[in-house]
Amino acid sequence: RNNLLGYSIAKIQEANGWNVVKTNIVNDRGIHICKSMLAWQKFGNGETPENSGKKGDHLIGDYYVRFDVEYKAQIKELMAQGMDEETAKKEAPLIKEAQAMLVKWEQNDPEVRALWQKMNEWVYAGFDETYQQMGVGFDKIYYESDTYLVGKGEVERGLAKGDFYRREDGSVWADLEQNGLDEKLLLRADGTSVYMTQDIGTAKLRFEDYPIDKMVYVVGNEQEYHFKVLSILLDRLGFPFGKELVHFSYGMVELPNGKMKSREGTVVDADDLMAQMIADAKEISKDKVNTLPDITEDEANEIARMVGLGALKYFILKVDPRKNMLFNPEESIDFNGNTGPFIQYTYARISSILRKAAEAGISVPDTLPTNIDIETKETELIQKLNGFTAAVRQAGLDYSPSGIANYCYELTKEFNQFYHDFSILREEDEAKKVFRLVLSKNVAKVVALGMGLLGIE
């Protein structure tokens, strides 16, 4: 949902005349990274994406899980020896080793850094594959390992300026009482940074890299407080864009229980979900695809990919982003109702009409012929088409892909009613026939533009 919303908002704002830079931040350092590294070192036996046939990010994910399994076993063992749970969690040898590895990483230990780089490259190669399949991309990717030191520098500057204060234990805090909030930790007692520190650094770098007026953070609603504080801190540090920061907050996605299994059984990852959607689309559209003459296996697979991913994207984007949502794979691939495939199918229907018109030697101009008596239903369809600009403008103001999704649905619904009520190719009045073809051609054009803003082919 994060990637699809962010990509769609970028497209919508570009359509509204913004110059948009799509960026991403990767949390590539910290204890969670060391856990995977340590587990791979201990239990990996030299396993790589190449020799295992696994995607790099999946491989590293497996070792993150492996760390957890082994760590829990050690906790259990220590508790059996009479230690209480809290102490056992701190004293388990694995967590101590992971913490020691993090210290070595911070100290630029060449061996730890080399392992870190190698494993991260596997992960990024896996991420790239997922982004490509999803049809999203970024103009620039920032890494926490590069931004956290910049953030620490900004916090030190704020401290010197009297914006922040240091406690007796050495930790650095911001007092936000005047803003109606509490206090916020910016540097731990041992001098290590927290997420807020890194986000200050990332914001500064982005502002230096690009001449931006506004930053839109597409991040889940559990981080609302975090971004409220970030906006205040950036403003306090004197960054002119601090007040202009927009947190595009969205709700979580839930799946119907038992519908989809993942490797760990608790979360469904993007790759599994996309593969499942494409497989479902292939199964559901089989009878429709089989009626197409001379279709190759590759073409059938391409249709399944477009329909499966179109269904997934549309189902997620048509919902008001602020709401939590239940994603139902079966419901999303219906060729009727408010779904991606229904809109894609309508577009295919119009393409087929225009193709038959071309085969019959009918020339379809881009603009509507005048002096024709048109029916009420046709007038309504023209008015609906005319509302596209307003829909795009409103979606830009609201940061709302759902506005575009629902416009596309209303337009195709209106077209299908028109198609049901009137003949197009069988119309005997030539001027009316051309008029209806031009109208159909423009509906297809607007549907393609609107769905394009949602990242749907």
Side-chain angles (χ1 to χ4, degrees):
R1 195 177 196 184
N2 177 286
N3 279 286
L4 299 180
L5 283 170
Y7 185 78
S8 181
I9 290 165
K11 298 294 266 184
I12 289 165
Q13 300 302 16
E14 279 172 349
N16 278 296
W18 288 26
N19 182 12
V20 179
V21 184
K22 298 188 291 293
T23 64
N24 191 0
I25 176 80
V26 176
N27 298 115
D28 65 338
R29 61 172 283 282
I31 194 73
H32 60 298
I33 303 286
C34 291
K35 287 176 180 180
S36 319
M37 285 163 63
L38 188 64
W40 184 84
Q41 227 176 21
K42 285 182 171 298
F43 316 112
N45 300 316
E47 188 179 21
T48 67
E50 290 74 31
N51 67 31
S52 68
K54 288 181 188 170
K55 258 179 104 243
D57 51 335
H58 291 181
L59 178 77
I60 303 305
D62 291 344
Y63 283 101
Y64 184 76
V65 172
R66 179 70 188 269
F67 177 93
D68 200 49
V69 169
E70 302 288 341
Y71 175 45
K72 279 177 179 157
Q74 286 186 354
I75 294 168
K76 207 170 169 186
E77 208 174 298
L78 290 172
M79 284 170 74
Q81 291 165 20
M83 206 179 270
D84 68 88
E85 192 177 355
E86 273 313 299
T87 313
K89 280 179 177 174
K90 287 179 191 147
E91 293 302 319
L94 262 183
I95 197 72
K96 285 189 153 180
E97 280 185 78
Q99 285 159 348
M101 187 182 257
L102 181 58
V103 171
K104 279 184 169 179
W105 184 91
E106 296 253 351
Q107 291 165 345
N108 260 324
D109 178 282
E111 210 173 297
V112 170
R113 285 283 177 137
L115 176 64
W116 171 74
Q117 205 151 0
K118 174 168 78 174
M119 290 176 73
N120 274 359
E121 275 164 16
W122 293 346
V123 172
Y124 302 148
F127 281 178
D128 286 346
E129 220 177 287
T130 302
Y131 292 142
Q132 206 175 343
Q133 172 79 303
M134 209 181 270
V136 303
F138 305 97
D139 299 306
K140 178 148 185 163
I141 296 183
Y142 290 87
Y143 299 92
E144 192 187 348
S145 55
D146 298 325
T147 68
Y148 84 109
L149 290 173
V150 179
K152 280 171 97 165
E154 284 304 308
V155 171
E156 296 292 353
R157 181 172 74 80
L159 191 62
K161 222 161 99 201
D163 292 330
F164 311 134
Y165 72 96
R166 195 186 290 280
R167 286 191 182 169
E168 278 178 21
D169 64 358
S171 58
V172 177
W173 294 74
D175 182 356
L176 304 168
E177 258 178 59
Q178 69 197 68
N179 305 97
L181 303 170
D182 52 12
E183 296 174 308
K184 181 68 189 166
L185 174 69
L186 300 177
L187 286 175
R188 294 191 190 95
D190 61 4
T192 55
S193 64
V194 292
Y195 276 126
M196 189 61 77
T197 329
Q198 163 232 300
D199 277 343
I200 291 168
T202 311
K204 184 186 183 208
L205 286 175
R206 285 172 179 165
F207 193 66
E208 285 171 357
D209 290 344
Y210 301 100
I212 49 178
D213 303 302
K214 194 186 277 281
M215 274 199 289
V216 182
Y217 288 85
V218 182
V219 184
N221 57 12
E222 76 276 27
Q223 296 294 339
E224 272 170 12
Y225 178 78
H226 177 92
F227 284 99
K228 196 180 279 184
V229 172
L230 179 62
S231 181
I232 293 165
L233 295 179
L234 290 171
D235 188 45
R236 203 177 276 189
L237 285 163
F239 292 109
F241 56 82
K243 282 193 172 83
E244 284 292 308
L245 183 157
V246 176
H247 174 207
F248 179 85
S249 167
Y250 60 89
M252 298 293 109
V253 180
E254 290 153 17
L255 286 154
N257 283 341
K259 283 276 167 70
M260 301 194 75
K261 297 272 192 290
S262 74
R263 285 186 299 279
E264 283 88 61
T266 51
V267 294
V268 174
D269 72 39
D271 296 313
D272 292 346
L273 181 59
M274 289 191 290
Q276 184 68 54
M277 291 296 295
I278 293 166
D280 288 354
K282 194 167 187 185
E283 189 53 44
I284 289 163
S285 59
K286 204 186 278 174
D287 56 334
K288 288 183 169 65
V289 170
N290 286 344
T291 62
L292 298 172
D294 313 320
I295 190 163
T296 67
E297 183 69 17
D298 283 351
E299 285 166 336
N301 288 338
E302 181 62 358
I303 290 170
R305 184 191 67 78
M306 285 163 87
V307 172
L309 293 182
L312 171 69
K313 291 179 182 185
Y314 187 85
F315 199 92
I316 286 177
L317 293 173
K318 74 175 181 180
V319 178
D320 176 351
R322 287 172 287 275
K323 293 177 179 164
N324 285 351
M325 65 172 289
L326 183 74
F327 175 67
N328 188 332
E330 283 164 27
E331 219 178 282
S332 71
I333 306 191
D334 197 335
F335 283 92
N336 299 300
N338 190 0
T339 67
F342 168 72
I343 297 169
Q344 288 173 318
Y345 195 59
T346 303
Y347 181 85
R349 168 175 277 167
I350 298 172
S351 301
S352 169
I353 294 166
L354 295 172
R355 198 162 47 243
K356 284 173 184 163
E359 284 163 9
I362 303 166
S363 165
V364 184
D366 288 324
T367 52
L368 290 173
T370 51
N371 307 325
I372 293 171
D373 291 331
I374 60 173
E375 309 286 342
T376 308
K377 181 51 75 185
E378 293 168 326
T379 306
E380 285 167 1
L381 192 50
I382 293 169
Q383 286 170 335
K384 195 73 189 163
L385 276 172
N386 199 39
F388 181 54
T389 309
V392 173
R393 192 179 299 124
Q394 197 57 49
L397 292 170
D398 299 341
Y399 297 93
S400 179
S402 63
I404 299 293
N406 291 308
Y407 170 84
C408 289
Y409 172 59
E410 291 299 327
L411 177 63
T412 44
K413 204 166 67 169
E414 195 91 36
F415 175 82
N416 279 297
Q417 191 58 57
F418 156 76
Y419 179 77
H420 178 266
D421 293 350
F422 300 101
S423 290
I424 299 177
L425 292 171
R426 291 202 181 94
E427 171 57 54
E428 286 169 10
D429 182 323
E430 277 306 310
K432 275 191 177 179
K433 183 192 288 183
V434 171
F435 164 78
R436 285 174 190 164
L437 284 166
V438 173
L439 190 50
S440 303
K441 184 178 176 178
N442 278 284
V443 169
K445 180 183 173 182
V446 170
V447 166
L449 287 169
M451 293 292 263
L453 295 178
L454 305 177
I456 297 173
E457 295 164 90

